[in-house]
Amino acid sequence: MRPLDMTPHRPYRPMAQTCHTRPLADKQVLWVHPAPRLHPQGRFLGRTLRQADVGAAAELWRASYPEVYGSVHDYLLYPEDYPERMALEETWEADTRGKPHCMLVVEEIDTGRLVAASLMTKCDRNLQIEYSFAGTHPEFRRYGLMKLLGKMMYDMTLASGAEYLTTFLETWHTITQHETLKWGRGWKVAGIFPGNFTRWAGGQEEYRACEIHLYQFIRGGDRYATQPEEWHLHPKLLPIWNALEDLNRELEHTSTTPEDASHD
């Protein structure tokens, strides 16, 4: 954080009356190295991404999540983009702080084939981790591989220093919506964003997809979040907030761990 004399200035209006504050400081989210985790069936292993994996990982994303082609997220499809973005097993000590993305993969043990993967993205200054993507090769769906990765991801977030988790659900992927809203997993619905991201429609065509955004506080992050009592929402927005709160209260009594927001 760069020092700056802000004493001549003041916020637009006094805030943080309903929450804690803390001194400004440098903040860091760390990719804490996870131990490899065996799938209950013993056939698959969840682990971190290695340098030798990048070509196979990019091909896996092309098969499992081709819709990102041409979008802001299409770096997943290009192995040459991985070294500057992804935390890698061989350079983990340096990458734990410097790389914005962490990809976990599932390997079929007997063949060494990568069959599923997930991606997290961090924002240090916001102490935030986004569960960005999860994908399973079409030939390996329905094995519960996302549950394996989801548990690894959640353990990593708890050790990372992050206090705010976010994710988004594709509205064309009904299984993800059904399972996430059915079981809750600690996520709260933030809103529905029509046209949020461009997505591939096949050939060389694209469209703007609608996404459902969710959030969750961990490690006491909610202590620093202002409460509705001091918000200045327009009256026409209040019914929307109240409807979201009603929905989120329904989800709250279910699981308290987000694990996987994306499913097989």
Side-chain angles (χ1 to χ4, degrees), residues 110-181:
D110 287 347
T111 65
R113 183 180 181 184
L114 299 189
V115 297
S118 64
L119 185 80
M120 294 183 287
T121 303
K122 68 171 182 158
C123 178
D124 290 320
R125 288 196 175 187
N126 208 40
L127 294 178
Q128 176 180 351
I129 289 178
E130 177 189 77
Y131 283 34
S132 302
F133 292 100
T136 303
H137 192 281
E139 297 176 12
F140 291 86
R141 290 172 179 159
R142 308 301 181 187
Y143 286 102
L145 302 182
M146 286 302 107
K147 186 174 183 180
L148 172 66
L149 290 179
K151 289 180 177 179
M152 295 178 67
M153 292 163 66
Y154 191 58
D155 288 346
M156 289 181 69
T157 63
L158 292 180
S160 69
E163 62 184 21
Y164 192 59
L165 306 181
T166 57
T167 192
F168 58 89
L169 311 178
E170 304 277 10
T171 49
W172 43 262
H173 200 275
T174 54
I175 295 175
T176 300
Q177 296 175 60
H178 175 77
E179 292 299 319
T180 302
L181 295 179

Side-chain angles (χ1 to χ4, degrees), residues 9 16 22 28-30 33 36-37 55 66 86 97 138 148 197 205 210 220 224 244 246:
H9 309 287
R22 59 191 171 202
Q28 181 78 67
V29 174
L30 302 176
H33 192 278
R37 189 168 299 191
M86 308 294 176
R97 295 179 180 273
L148 172 66
F197 295 126
E205 300 293 316
C210 178
Y224 302 99
L244 284 173
D246 289 344

